[in-house]
Amino acid sequence: MKAKTENLMQAIISLSKQRGFMYPGSEIYGGISGMWDYGPLGLRLKQNVEKLWWRMFVENREDMYGLDSSVITHPDVWKASGHVASFADPLIDCKKCQSRFRADQIDVSLGCPDCSSHDFSEVRPFHMMFKTFVGAVEDSAAETYLRPETAQGIFLNFKNVIDSFHPALPFGIAQIGKAFRNEITPGNMLFRLREFSQMEIEYFVRPHDWEKYFEAWRTNINAWGEALGLRLQEIEVPAPERAFYSKRTIDFNFSYPFGQDELYGLAYRGDYDLQNHTKFSGKDLYYFDEATKERIVPHVIEPTFGVDRTILALLLSAYATEPDKEGTRTVLKLKPNLAPYTAAVFPLLSNKPELVLRAREIYQGLKSSLAVAWDDIGNIGKRYRRQDEIGTPYAITVDFETLEDGSVTVRDRDSMQQERVNETELAEYLRTKIA
Ligand code: ATP
């Protein structure tokens, strides 16, 4: 039984805080809107997502190059990209209660969502990049921005990667990193943050090939959704809502409790970015085809994946409450390869030194190659509940039989079924389960 939709966000928020997945940013100072910190378990989940993405889209392919570019760049980068001129959302204020909204997200004719007043300000553009200063002088010459997307760092290094690796077209550059946007209305936990992480790819193709590779990436994004067990809904973005340089964009939406909204995106960016950086930097950004002696400005397909929205979608999809022997259990049915811990190891009784010693040995043995947790607090039932709640797929109990024949009990999180496995086969057993 899924928790009631309206309570689901609250359930995720309190479980995250209590069990160490996510903590509200700067909480002891009263918090700061749009910022969340990853706790020990949230970080493990996030690292597992990022590792899987990197393996699937970089390591397992021959046409991809990884990058980790700086968050702060030359300010002209954002003039060339168009962000200085137009990275703004329409802002509207309620004059009565002073609440601020994105004008495109509220129905003005219904009045202020907070106080119902109809006394609104004019709609004006609100610039979303965070300004900062580089160097010791705080004047406009030293002013630049925190990047609002990771993509531009890739375009800046397009020529470097070509010169170092001489890739053949098509090829892609991938990067995982932080992005910063001063959103007008942050909220819904990890959905709309002011500091968040993106996993982005710029895939460079011959101009006439763009449709073929757009389709290929569409398939890849759906395969990624399947690998995570997330149900994605494709929405073709109509021309008036697309960036002017894009001939095609698909949003990959997810059904959050607050409505269906974007999780991932796929955009055809043409040669907009490379042409603009050529114009603004004065450096020719092109690809030289040795075979035909042609200079080509490749066109770009951009699949983009929000890390934090992925974490939110995973928590929402995995969360369940269901009856068990002792009443109701809360369980996070995360895929075994994503869960913060693959297994937890317990001694059946914590006051029997011989069981604790043997359990510690087994735990230490697994720990070198697998993500395992140790738990010896409370009775076995409580430990199962605790591990269910953080999504640990396997719980291993060391009991008196273990001392005799080396077998342990392995309990499956989802079916709650138990089986005996020999400790010598345990690591292989778990590895097979998470493969
Ligand atoms: P939205 O329409 O929701 O503001 P967007 O279309 O501006 O999103 P993109 O610029 O395409 O988003 O960013 C790429 C990805 O980065 C999004 O698909 C999303 O997963 C993630 N993302 C964008 N803005 C945020 C944010 N404020 N908080 C968390 N993730 C975000």
Side-chain angles (χ1 to χ4, degrees):
M1 184 179 62
K2 282 265 172 189
K4 280 217 181 81
T5 298
E6 62 266 32
N7 296 332
L8 190 52
M9 282 300 284
Q10 211 38 60
I12 295 294
I13 290 171
S14 53
L15 178 116
S16 291
K17 165 101 203 290
Q18 206 188 340
R19 302 310 315 277
F21 281 87
M22 302 302 310
Y23 303 124
S26 309
E27 201 181 7
I28 61 167
Y29 287 93
I32 175 166
S33 177
M35 311 289 179
W36 281 80
D37 295 340
Y38 282 81
L41 299 191
L43 174 61
R44 281 176 173 272
L45 177 58
K46 181 182 183 222
Q47 286 174 333
N48 288 344
V49 166
E50 292 178 351
K51 265 189 279 180
L52 184 66
W53 188 88
W54 199 258
R55 186 143 39 86
M56 189 158 161
F57 293 125
V58 184
E59 299 301 336
N60 285 357
R61 299 174 58 117
E62 291 180 26
D63 56 349
M64 295 292 299
Y65 297 83
L67 182 75
D68 186 4
S69 69
S70 60
V71 164
I72 295 177
T73 61
H74 193 288
D76 288 355
V77 170
W78 307 106
K79 290 184 187 147
S81 68
H83 284 82
V84 168
S86 60
F87 194 58
D89 272 343
L91 174 71
I92 192 165
D93 292 301
C94 169
K95 287 189 180 165
K96 186 163 168 229
C97 73
Q98 265 79 49
S99 293
R100 295 189 138 182
F101 304 99
R102 254 174 74 174
D104 57 337
Q105 286 182 345
I106 63 165
D107 184 346
V108 178
S109 58
L110 293 179
C112 169
D114 288 350
C115 74
S116 307
S117 159
H118 281 80
D119 192 8
F120 285 111
S121 69
E122 293 287 297
V123 177
R124 60 199 186 282
F126 176 78
H127 207 267
M128 296 210 297
M129 283 198 291
F130 283 101
K131 263 188 200 155
T132 190
F133 299 93
V134 173
V137 196
E138 288 200 6
D139 67 15
S140 58
E143 199 174 280
T144 185
Y145 306 92
L146 304 188
R147 67 181 178 199
E149 60 176 30
T150 59
Q152 296 304 322
I154 295 180
F155 296 120
L156 298 182
N157 288 287
F158 164 78
K159 201 84 180 90
N160 286 333
V161 171
I162 288 187
D163 292 345
S164 306
F165 300 94
H166 310 286
L169 281 178
F171 71 93
I173 304 179
Q175 141 150 277
I176 300 179
K178 289 270 182 152
F180 303 82
R181 297 182 187 179
N182 200 3
E183 297 276 0
I184 295 172
T185 47
N188 288 323
M189 199 195 180
L190 303 180
F191 179 77
R192 194 167 298 285
L193 295 167
R194 287 178 169 144
E195 174 176 341
F196 56 98
S197 297
Q198 295 181 315
M199 306 184 282
E200 291 197 302
I201 294 165
E202 305 304 318
Y203 197 73
F204 301 95
V205 305
R206 287 169 201 278
H208 61 265
D209 277 346
W210 79 266
E211 277 163 305
K212 173 171 139 198
Y213 290 107
F214 189 93
E215 281 308 317
W217 281 103
R218 180 181 179 179
T219 305
N220 291 343
I221 294 176
N222 282 311
W224 166 254
E226 244 166 69
L228 294 190
L230 295 178
R231 213 177 295 171
L232 305 178
Q233 172 107 40
E234 288 188 23
I235 305 288
E236 224 17 273
V237 178
E241 292 168 31
R242 288 197 298 257
F244 66 90
Y245 51 79
S246 178
K247 286 207 190 76
R248 198 166 172 206
T249 299
I250 296 178
D251 283 349
F252 292 76
N253 285 5
F254 178 79
S255 281
Y256 305 93
F258 44 88
Q260 204 194 83
D261 215 324
E262 181 172 334
L263 176 54
Y264 306 133
L266 176 64
Y268 169 50
R269 298 179 75 114
D271 60 0
Y272 174 79
D273 303 274
L274 291 178
Q275 294 287 13
N276 273 337
H277 284 303
T278 295
K279 197 161 91 195
F280 278 76
S281 69
K283 305 285 181 309
D284 256 348
L285 302 181
Y286 63 90
Y287 171 90
F288 186 70
D289 189 329
E290 291 293 346
T292 61
K293 306 291 175 213
E294 258 181 299
R295 278 165 62 123
I296 300 169
V297 180
H299 281 203
V300 171
I301 309 295
E302 180 191 70
T304 174
F305 306 72
V307 176
D308 315 87
R309 286 187 190 179
T310 304
I311 301 299
L312 177 60
L314 285 172
L315 291 173
L316 288 166
S317 309
Y319 185 91
T321 53
E322 49 187 38
D324 70 354
K325 272 189 255 158
E326 287 153 59
T328 311
R329 69 169 186 151
T330 299
V331 53
L332 276 188
K333 295 188 173 180
L334 292 167
K335 290 217 165 185
N337 59 334
L338 298 176
Y341 292 110
T342 304
V345 181
F346 324 139
L348 177 68
L349 301 166
S350 337
N351 59 357
K352 296 281 173 204
E354 65 274 34
L355 289 184
V356 175
L357 196 69
R358 191 60 175 274
R360 289 292 302 175
E361 278 170 12
I362 292 176
Y363 165 70
Q364 293 292 358
L366 293 173
K367 198 172 161 52
S368 58
S369 61
L370 288 157
V372 283
W374 171 259
D375 195 347
D376 60 0
I377 298 167
N379 62 34
I380 289 288
K382 290 219 174 74
R383 295 180 210 165
Y384 282 157
R385 288 243 172 141
R386 261 202 304 277
Q387 296 302 327
D388 286 347
E389 230 178 50
I390 64 169
T392 308
Y394 302 101
I396 296 162
T397 306
V398 173
D399 53 24
F400 292 104
E401 247 180 281
T402 317
L403 303 181
E404 281 165 25
D405 65 5
S407 70
V408 296
T409 301
V410 180
R411 181 247 197 196
D412 181 289
R413 176 196 68 199
D414 298 343
S415 67
M416 295 189 266
Q417 297 295 314
Q418 305 187 356
E419 62 176 315
R420 296 295 292 188
V421 177
N422 196 280
E423 62 173 298
T424 53
E425 287 153 21
L426 207 47
E428 198 43 42
Y429 173 92
L430 294 172
R431 264 195 286 275
T432 312
K433 295 279 191 187
I434 61 169

